[in-house]
Amino acid sequence: MINFEALFRISYGLYIVSSGNKDRGNGFISNTVFQVSAEPIKFAAVCNKNNYTADFIKESGVFAVSVLHKNTSPEIFGRFGFKSGKDLDKLEGMKVIFGETGVPIVLNDCIAYIECRVVQTTDVGTHLIFIGELVQSEIINDSKEPITYLYYRQVKKGVAPKNAPTYIDKSKLESGKEGTSTKKYKCGACGYIYDESTEMIKFTDLPDDWVCPVCGSEKSEFFEIDN
Amino acid sequence: MINFEALFRISYGLYIVSSGNKDRGNGFISNTVFQVSAEPIKFAAVCNKNNYTADFIKESGVFAVSVLHKNTSPEIFGRFGFKSGKDLDKLEGMKVIFGETGVPIVLNDCIAYIECRVVQTTDVGTHLIFIGELVQSEIINDSKEPITYLYYRQVKKGVAPKNAPTYIDKSKLESGKEGTSTKKYKCGACGYIYDESTEMIKFTDLPDDWVCPVCGSEKSEFFEIDN
């Protein structure tokens, strides 16, 4: 038997993984960045094949990882997590520096970053694991703690975008919840949908200071929609 | 430039990764387990090639991951993190169940587990990334929080074993700390060495209730040794 809740006991951080060059780049919110070897130091970054940033990593052979802190603004999650670089230049207006390889590194709400040069790529089906050798790493702000995926889910009430490796299909969760009725609520500002069937917390039980994880609008901006 | 401290801003949990069958098995403490695909659900477990458990995973083609909680006993870290299954049967005397594939799953200090069947293996140099499809997952104890690597380092004052992908060689840290003098302290009970040069916290600055991360002995059991 698969208990989907058990999968959420695996710990992750939250990062902006970026790639490209000085002329054009892109980035996305990732929870799957891990060190995989110590000598030399190599990191793995997992990326959905449909993710626009995957194309940049394949083309440039480099990626950067910006570690986000606990008070990262909803706008950053909205811009890098729920929008596509095919529709807008995600780096425009952001605080961006360029690494030793020329890769863009996003410094907004970032406490540390690492820069890697891809040395191998593993295809795991829907996702690619890019394995990169460390080029440089730096601390940007030592006064703030890194945000974890658990904190984002429990305190920020955030959800995983559909391209995330940890995304869970609504129908799978529903199979274990027969007889319960779930509702959907839409953000009047950005259109984001809070779907109780994938959240396991009823919308009405969310705290009053909960805000839209995409655009930061208040709970009162949401309205119920048909399932 | 590489700032090694920046690498510790990447978030990890702590797990016992086990493998084998009903007759013989082994397990080790790992911080690098992560979901890499959603459809089907696949997990990656990173394992040093010299690790005895790597042989079991290669032979049996299965592994289990036991998620440890915040109050995991030092004996568990000592047994599974700092000793080798070549010298003792690590599973002897432990609370072990066998999964659908026959893999042993350790339930001591475990809040959830997942069981995977290996579908591919990636060689990243010193380490192997075993990628397994999820067979089953279960919650064991929903009242305790998963331990993170950061918590283990900061609160438990734990260190990474030499085979961990996040192990950092003392000489690398020392290069950034010229002029400071560091000392070593040895546990009188188990021989574990607290090496200030890789810890960045002086032994004398550790709280009085700090205990040996391997065997749980009190701070007063430690004595200074020559560098």
Side-chain angles (χ1 to χ4, degrees):
Chain A
M1 186 205 140
I2 290 176
N3 180 336
F4 288 99
E5 195 54 32
L7 311 186
F8 290 117
R9 297 302 179 276
I10 305 292
S11 298
Y12 305 90
L14 282 172
Y15 316 98
I16 297 172
V17 173
S18 55
S19 187
N21 55 40
K22 289 187 180 170
D23 297 324
R24 186 83 174 97
N26 198 48
F28 71 104
I29 299 287
S30 169
N31 66 342
T32 37
V33 172
F34 284 81
Q35 189 171 341
V36 295
S37 115
E39 190 59 53
I41 296 172
K42 292 180 193 168
F43 278 85
V46 183
C47 187
N48 192 291
K49 285 178 181 175
N50 295 329
N51 203 312
Y52 194 43
T53 306
D55 296 338
F56 283 93
I57 300 177
K58 280 188 272 185
E59 202 170 301
S60 66
V62 291
F63 65 85
V65 177
S66 304
V67 182
L68 298 172
H69 62 67
K70 280 190 169 173
N71 292 324
T72 294
S73 72
E75 288 76 13
I76 290 292
F77 288 117
R79 173 179 279 252
F80 288 98
F82 294 87
K83 288 175 181 165
S84 172
K86 290 169 189 161
D87 307 321
L88 85 161
D89 181 353
K90 290 192 190 180
L91 303 183
E92 199 189 327
M94 296 286 108
K95 277 184 269 178
V96 171
I97 57 167
F98 296 93
E100 291 176 19
T101 65
V103 71
I105 303 166
V106 181
L107 297 190
N108 301 64
D109 292 330
C110 163
I111 56 171
Y113 67 80
I114 64 172
E115 177 184 2
C116 293
R117 195 183 302 275
V118 177
V119 291
Q120 66 196 98
T121 304
T122 295
D123 187 329
V124 288
T126 51
H127 289 69
L128 296 169
I129 306 179
F130 292 109
I131 293 157
E133 210 172 299
L134 185 68
V135 173
Q136 67 152 330
S137 56
E138 198 46 87
I139 297 274
I140 297 297
N141 180 340
D142 214 8
S143 69
K144 290 185 176 168
E145 273 186 74
I147 187 169
T148 62
Y149 185 43
L150 187 71
Y151 184 87
Y152 173 70
R153 275 176 47 86
Q154 289 186 339
V155 181
K156 300 280 194 183
K157 306 296 174 199
V159 295
K162 195 151 189 170
N163 276 354
T166 47
Y167 175 76
I168 290 190
D169 188 336
K170 173 189 161 186
S171 61
K172 295 207 177 136
L173 285 168
E174 275 182 338
S175 64
K177 303 169 71 169
E178 282 168 292
T180 65
S181 110
T182 59
K183 292 177 179 170
K184 285 180 180 168
Y185 295 82
K186 188 169 183 174
C187 173
C190 74
Y192 165 75
I193 291 168
Y194 185 92
D195 183 345
E196 290 184 340
S197 65
T198 60
E199 286 299 323
M200 290 170 288
I201 298 171
K202 275 186 181 290
F203 184 79
T204 49
D205 291 342
L206 291 171
D208 289 341
D209 60 354
W210 179 87
V211 294
C212 174
V214 177
C215 69
S217 293
E218 292 179 12
K219 192 180 169 188
S220 58
E221 296 289 324
F222 279 68
F223 54 91
E224 190 181 336
I225 58 170
D226 285 343
N227 258 309
Chain B
M1 188 207 139
I2 290 175
N3 180 336
F4 288 98
E5 195 54 32
L7 310 186
F8 291 117
R9 297 303 179 275
I10 305 293
S11 297
Y12 305 89
L14 282 172
Y15 316 97
I16 296 172
V17 173
S18 56
S19 187
N21 55 40
K22 287 187 182 170
D23 296 325
R24 186 84 174 94
N26 198 49
F28 71 104
I29 300 286
S30 169
N31 65 343
T32 38
V33 172
F34 48 107
Q35 190 173 339
V36 296
S37 113
E39 190 58 53
I41 296 172
K42 292 180 193 167
F43 277 85
V46 182
C47 186
N48 192 291
K49 286 178 180 174
N50 295 329
N51 203 311
Y52 193 43
T53 306
D55 296 337
F56 283 94
I57 300 177
K58 280 188 271 185
E59 202 169 300
S60 66
V62 291
F63 64 85
V65 178
S66 304
V67 182
L68 299 172
H69 62 67
K70 280 190 169 173
N71 293 324
T72 295
S73 73
E75 288 76 13
I76 291 290
F77 288 117
R79 173 179 279 252
F80 288 99
F82 293 87
K83 288 176 181 165
S84 172
K86 290 169 189 160
D87 307 321
L88 86 162
D89 182 353
K90 290 191 188 180
L91 302 183
E92 200 189 327
M94 296 287 106
K95 275 185 272 177
V96 171
I97 58 167
F98 296 93
E100 291 176 19
T101 65
V103 71
I105 303 167
V106 182
L107 297 191
N108 301 65
D109 292 330
C110 162
I111 56 171
Y113 67 80
I114 64 171
E115 176 184 3
C116 293
R117 194 183 303 275
V118 176
V119 290
Q120 67 195 97
T121 304
T122 295
D123 187 329
V124 288
T126 52
H127 289 69
L128 296 169
I129 306 181
F130 293 109
I131 292 157
E133 209 171 301
L134 185 68
V135 173
Q136 67 151 329
S137 57
E138 198 44 89
I139 297 273
I140 297 296
N141 180 338
D142 214 9
S143 69
K144 290 183 176 168
E145 273 186 75
I147 187 169
T148 62
Y149 186 41
L150 187 71
Y151 184 87
Y152 174 69
R153 274 176 47 87
Q154 289 187 340
V155 181
K156 299 280 194 183
K157 307 296 174 199
V159 295
K162 196 152 188 168
N163 276 354
T166 48
Y167 175 77
I168 290 191
D169 190 338
K170 172 191 160 186
S171 60
K172 295 208 175 136
L173 284 169
E174 275 182 338
S175 64
K177 303 168 72 169
E178 283 166 292
T180 66
S181 111
T182 60
K183 292 177 179 169
K184 285 180 180 168
Y185 295 82
K186 188 169 183 174
C187 174
C190 73
Y192 165 75
I193 291 168
Y194 185 93
D195 184 346
E196 289 183 341
S197 65
T198 60
E199 286 300 323
M200 289 171 289
I201 297 172
K202 274 185 182 289
F203 183 79
T204 49
D205 292 342
L206 290 171
D208 288 340
D209 60 356
W210 179 87
V211 295
C212 173
V214 177
C215 69
S217 292
E218 290 179 12
K219 192 179 169 189
S220 59
E221 295 290 323
F222 277 67
F223 53 92
E224 191 181 336
I225 57 169
D226 285 343
N227 258 308

